[in-house]
C-alpha cells in the first residue's frame, strides 16, 4: 500500500508541475514577472497536498507581513521541506539551496532562475550565495534557509549541530528579523531513506515569533544562531514527548 501511495503522490507531483511549468517558464524570462513564477510555484504545493490526502496544520504564533523582508530558518529532515514552504508562507521569498538541484530537469531551470544556489563545499560559492542573499533582502524579498546545511541528521527529530552562520550573518547585516519555523512531521511523511516511500500524516508546522536583529553586530552571530536553534529544538522535543 505504501508503494501505491508513493506512486500516486509522485504522479500528481509531476503532473501538476508539468501543467504549470509553461507559465512558470514565461514568467521567469523577465525580472518583474518573477513574483508570478513564485506564485505558480506556491500553487504547485497548494494543489499537491490536498490531492495527496495530506492535511495541512499550521500554527501561526506570528503572521509574517508580506510587505517586509525576513530570514526564515527551519529544521531540515525531509525533501518535502522545500515544497511546504510555499504553503506555509505567503511571502515572496528565495530559497538558499544546494547547487545540485540545477541538474533536475525543468525543476532545476526554475530553481536556478528563481532562487539562490550554493555549493557548501566551496568557500567561494558560500561567499557568493551570501552576497546574493544580502542583495535579495535589500530588495525587500525574504530568504528561506535551512541552517543545518542540508539533510544531515540521522536521528530526526534531533537536529544536526552546529548550524551554519550564513542565515544569521545576512539577517544582522540587513537588520531584518529571523523567523524560526518548526517543521514537525515532514520526516514522517517523507523520510530521508531508501527506498523512497511516502506516508500519510498531517503536515504540521509552527511559525514562531521573530528574533529581532536591530542593533546587533557580527559579534552577535553565534548568540542569535543558538537562540534560533533553541526555539526550534524545544518545540521538536515537546512534540516528540507528546507523541510518546
Amino acid at each position: 500500500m505504501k508503494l501505491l501511495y508513493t506512486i500516486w503522490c509522485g504522479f500528481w507531483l509531476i503532473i501538476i508541475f508539468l501543467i504549470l511549468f509553461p507559465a512558470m517558464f514565461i514568467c521567469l524570462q523577465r525580472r518583474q514577472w518573477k513574483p508570478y513564477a513564485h506564485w505558480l510555484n506556491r500553487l504547485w504545493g497548494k494543489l499537491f497536498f490536498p490531492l495527496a490526502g495530506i492535511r495541512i496544520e499550521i500554527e501561526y504564533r506570528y503572521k509574517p507581513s508580506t510587505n517586509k523582508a525576513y530570514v526564515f530558518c527551519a529544521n531540515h529532515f525531509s525533501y518535502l521541506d522545500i515544497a511546504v514552504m510555499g504553503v506555509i508562507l505567503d511571502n515572496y521569498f528565495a530559497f538558499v539551496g544546494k547547487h545540485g538541484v540545477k541538474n533536475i530537469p525543468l525543476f532545476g531551470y526554475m530553481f536556478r532562475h528563481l532562487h539562490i544556489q550554493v555549493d557548501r563545499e566551496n568557500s567561494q560559492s558560500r561567499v557568493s550565495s551570501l552576497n546574493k542573499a544580502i542583495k535579495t533582502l535589500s530588495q525587500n524579498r525574504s530568504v528561506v534557509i535551512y541552517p543545518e546545511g542540508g539533510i544531515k541528521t540521522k536521528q530526526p527529530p534531533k537536529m544536526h549541530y552546529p548550524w551554519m552562520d550564513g542565515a544569521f550573518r545576512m539577517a544582522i547585516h540587513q537588520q531584518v528579523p529571523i523567523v524560526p519555523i518548526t517543521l514537525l512531521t515532514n520526516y514522517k511523511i517523507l523520510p530521508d531513506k531508501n527506498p523512497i516511500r511516502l506516508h500519510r500524516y498531517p503536515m504540521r508546522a509552527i511559525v514562531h515569533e521573530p528574533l529581532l536583529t536591530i542593533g546587533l553586530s557580527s559579534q552577535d552571530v553565534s548568540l542569535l544562531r543558538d537562540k534560533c536553534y533553541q526555539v526550534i529544538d524545544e518545540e521538536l522535543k515537546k512534540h516528540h514527548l507528546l507523541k510518546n
Side-chain angles (χ1 to χ4, degrees), residues 73-77 81 146 148 159 181-184 232 236:
C73 294
N75 55 296
H76 194 22
F77 301 154
D81 298 342
Y146 301 103
E148 289 168 272
M159 288 186 288
I181 298 177
T182 305
L183 302 173
L184 291 165
I232 296 174
L236 288 169

Side-chain angles (χ1 to χ4, degrees), residues 17 21 41 44 76 79 82-83 95-120 146 150-151:
F17 184 80
F21 184 77
N41 206 241
W44 179 31
H76 194 22
Y79 286 109
I82 296 171
F95 280 111
V96 177
K98 63 181 182 180
H99 73 297
V101 173
K102 68 183 179 182
N103 299 320
I104 302 173
L106 301 184
F107 182 85
Y109 180 89
M110 177 277 296
F111 197 93
R112 188 166 66 249
H113 287 80
L114 199 57
H115 301 292
I116 301 166
Q117 299 174 86
V118 58
D119 179 357
R120 292 188 175 92
Y146 301 103
I151 303 175

Side-chain angles (χ1 to χ4, degrees), residues 227-239:
K227 190 173 182 181
C228 185
Y229 178 93
Q230 185 177 16
V231 169
I232 296 174
D233 186 54
E234 286 181 356
E235 207 62 53
L236 288 169
K237 288 176 179 176
K238 178 182 174 183
H239 178 79

